[in-house]
Amino acid sequence: MHPFKMLSEYGPLLLEGAWLTIQLSGLALLIGALLAMPMSVARCSPRAWLSVPVRIYISFFRGTPMLAQLFLVYFGAGQFRHELQAVDLWWLFRDPFYCALLTFVLNTTAYQAELLRGGILGVPRGEVEAARAYGMSAWLRYRLIVMPHAYRIAFPALGNEVILLLKGSAIASVVTLFDLMGQTRAIFAKSFDFSIYLWAALLYLLITMVIVRIWRYLEKRINPHLQRRVIQAPKAVKTAVTATE
Amino acid sequence: MNELSLLGLGADGWGDELLSGLLVTVQLAVTTLPLGLLIGFAIAGASLSEQPWLRRFGRAYTTAARGIPELLTLFLVYNGIAMLLNAAWRALDPDAGFVELSPFIAGVIALSVVFGAFSGEVLRGAFQALDQGQIEAGQAMGLSRLDQFRFIKLPQIWRFALPGLGNLWVNLIKDTALVSIIALNDLLRMTNIAVGATKQPFTFFFVACAAYWILSILSELVLAVLEKRANRGVRRA
């Protein structure tokens, strides 16, 4: 099919799918970020009863395929249908959107918590000690000193996780959702036009590139002190430097 | 029937079917690894080449293969190569039937393409971390280019790249699950079949998850040993 005709016929559907992809992964990332914060603190705790369960949780969700996790949630819930109906939670597990969202949240929470743990461990001891010396409570210390710095350290890695989850969300198409991948597969099944896969790939690439840009901008904003600075040296000094090199 | 006997190995248990699926999963990952590494070395070489067009190709390949969902890559390969094959087939023999690409081969190609892009970046980093002075020392001692690669570069690339490659290996094992969608009888698909027959979805998908989990943990243990071995000559700061 002619590319122009292809786009005019299926373009709106693709964009609709892309919007669902963005909604699903964006929402999951946000909820995951909220849950990852306390979890990473628990993961760093010296108390085993706090850190060990979190460790097992993180290891499980990072060590198994997200597709298998999605099946576990979406199909697995059926085994407990009566129990879930009794506690009035069945509506959640009956809906593929909520199941996919729940799976993505569980998954990204594990990844984000682990990245944030790296950030917390990277906060210089002196800062924490200084906060203690000021008499800050643990809550205040985490809120004002540890977490802001931990996020700064983990920020580039969190950007990778955003892109990984966005790409991973393509499996939502397997549980009947019409995200970008789902629309693409449906259109291919109707038209047998291979170029639709290429358009979808282009759209995914475009979304990731926009995210990379946004992330780079945000990184500049929150880590201004870490940017490479270009210092304009006077000409005479410049030549002197190159001469000594 | 209780759950344990459902997982048994006999005729009415699903344990043997799941194990055969696990074997396919492992075969898929093990077949992909060398191919993906080969692509990775080629891409790392291209990205570090002195030819601008090779560098541009390396960058374009890396961006595309890392930015497109693995699932989409799989469908691109599965349907795309099948279409090319059919077109070529029909050009040779106009009344040929429809040939289909085996899901296993499609899976190996798609996963290698992805693994190649990611490992290319890891290997590029490792190449760049090499101590330039050591390579010059090798040249000064009159080592051939091949010997320089074998005795100076490769052992250290291995050391630098191992943690990154280890992560990619675990990702590869997890990505094999996607191939179940194009009907390869891997662990996840065999689990699906077992669920269809037994109506015990949670039990079976949990067992499948546990199997993947064990594979990941085993890989991490082996990698820790390999890393220790690779770093045996390095003094720790």
Side-chain angles (χ1 to χ4, degrees):
Chain A
M1 212 187 287
H2 191 272
F4 189 73
K5 194 164 166 252
M6 186 88 195
L7 274 193
S8 65
E9 197 167 335
Y10 296 120
L13 282 177
L14 273 194
L15 287 181
E16 231 171 81
W19 176 232
L20 183 62
T21 291
I22 292 172
Q23 274 180 309
L24 252 181
S25 38
L27 214 55
L29 285 164
L30 272 180
I31 303 172
L34 291 178
L35 296 175
M37 254 186 273
M39 202 168 271
S40 61
V41 175
R43 173 70 180 81
C44 294
S45 164
R47 295 180 190 86
W49 61 270
L50 264 175
S51 66
V52 170
V54 175
R55 255 173 102 157
I56 294 173
Y57 171 86
I58 291 175
S59 164
F60 178 82
F61 279 95
R62 295 192 356 156
T64 55
M66 194 152 74
L67 185 61
Q69 296 161 13
L70 181 61
F71 285 168
L72 188 66
V73 171
Y74 183 63
F75 297 119
Q79 200 169 325
F80 306 107
R81 183 171 176 167
H82 297 294
E83 290 86 340
L84 286 168
Q85 274 169 335
V87 291
D88 208 15
L89 273 175
W90 180 240
W91 56 272
L92 202 151
F93 290 95
R94 209 187 44 199
D95 186 331
F97 179 86
Y98 289 126
C99 283
L101 185 62
L102 179 63
T103 311
F104 296 166
V105 166
L106 290 172
N107 189 278
T108 191
T109 301
Y111 277 91
Q112 288 190 41
E114 189 65 8
L115 296 176
L116 208 51
R117 180 180 84 97
I120 290 176
L121 293 180
V123 176
R125 277 198 72 80
E127 289 183 20
V128 183
E129 280 162 10
R132 280 223 176 89
Y134 270 107
M136 283 186 180
S137 66
W139 165 253
L140 210 57
R141 204 165 64 229
Y142 269 98
R143 189 165 69 91
L144 295 180
I145 308 292
V146 177
M147 273 303 165
H149 200 161
Y151 259 103
R152 288 201 170 112
I153 295 171
F155 200 74
L158 286 169
N160 285 340
E161 165 60 12
V162 171
I163 290 170
L164 278 182
L165 188 73
L166 185 101
K167 290 187 344 175
S169 76
I171 60 168
S173 63
V174 181
V175 291
T176 71
L177 284 175
F178 288 101
D179 68 330
L180 181 47
M181 187 73 212
Q183 291 286 11
T184 309
R185 287 174 70 185
I187 294 169
F188 182 76
K190 258 188 292 187
S191 65
F192 274 104
D193 189 331
F194 182 70
S195 67
I196 195 68
Y197 283 126
L198 299 175
W199 286 113
L202 211 61
L203 209 47
Y204 269 113
L205 274 181
L206 210 69
I207 300 173
T208 33
M209 272 175 191
V210 169
I211 293 173
V212 168
R213 281 282 156 83
I214 294 176
W215 220 257
R216 220 175 280 158
Y217 170 78
L218 289 175
E219 204 178 319
K220 231 179 251 174
R221 285 298 298 268
I222 68 167
N223 285 335
H225 58 294
L226 294 180
Q227 296 306 310
R228 220 189 306 169
R229 268 176 301 182
V230 184
I231 299 168
Q232 289 291 326
K235 233 179 180 161
V237 179
K238 226 178 187 173
T239 45
V241 170
T242 42
T244 50
E245 265 174 3
Chain B
M1 213 189 310
N2 74 13
E3 273 146 30
L4 272 182
S5 64
L6 275 178
L7 289 168
L9 290 173
D12 44 56
W14 287 89
D16 42 346
E17 280 82 356
L18 294 189
L19 279 178
S20 78
L22 185 65
L23 190 67
V24 174
T25 291
V26 172
Q27 279 172 341
L28 188 59
V30 171
T31 318
T32 302
L33 183 67
L35 272 174
L37 272 178
L38 213 64
I39 297 179
F41 267 107
I43 291 300
S47 308
L48 293 169
S49 156
E50 279 159 24
Q51 303 285 340
W53 63 271
L54 263 178
R55 278 204 305 272
R56 229 171 287 142
F57 169 78
R59 207 181 315 143
Y61 178 90
T62 316
T63 312
R66 295 198 310 171
I68 299 171
E70 289 79 356
L71 188 57
L72 183 54
T73 311
L74 185 62
F75 276 97
L76 274 168
V77 167
Y78 188 50
N79 293 319
I81 293 187
M83 275 183 166
L84 282 179
L85 273 182
N86 277 304
W89 207 248
R90 241 170 249 149
L92 293 172
D93 175 10
D95 7 87
F98 193 78
V99 280
E100 215 172 319
L101 190 61
S102 107
F104 188 85
I105 294 176
V108 167
I109 296 175
L111 293 174
S112 300
V113 165
V114 176
F115 192 90
F118 281 94
S119 64
E121 286 293 280
V122 170
L123 292 170
R124 185 172 63 91
F127 267 111
Q128 284 172 331
L130 285 176
D131 184 354
Q132 213 52 42
Q134 293 183 10
I135 295 163
E136 280 163 17
Q139 284 166 350
M141 288 175 73
L143 293 184
S144 69
R145 279 178 72 101
L146 182 70
D147 281 350
Q148 281 173 36
F149 185 76
R150 257 177 42 194
F151 296 122
I152 301 178
K153 292 184 183 169
L154 198 59
Q156 305 201 68
I157 290 170
W158 173 242
R159 175 162 70 88
F160 292 136
L162 198 54
L165 292 180
N167 279 338
L168 292 181
W169 165 251
V170 175
N171 281 348
L172 174 62
I173 292 176
K174 293 190 289 174
D175 284 345
T176 58
L178 296 173
V179 186
S180 68
I181 299 174
I182 55 169
L184 178 71
N185 287 330
D186 74 330
L187 174 58
L188 196 56
R189 191 168 136 84
M190 293 314 281
T191 313
N192 255 320
I193 295 171
V195 165
T198 60
K199 309 287 175 231
Q200 298 267 6
F202 191 86
T203 314
F204 275 94
F205 284 120
F206 190 78
V207 169
C209 280
Y212 282 110
W213 197 10
I214 291 170
L215 278 185
S216 301
I217 291 174
L218 278 181
S219 305
E220 272 161 26
L221 290 177
V222 171
L223 281 161
V225 173
L226 285 179
E227 260 173 58
K228 211 171 164 191
R229 230 186 94 76
N231 283 310
R232 65 196 183 282
V234 183
R235 211 186 313 162
R236 300 205 48 174

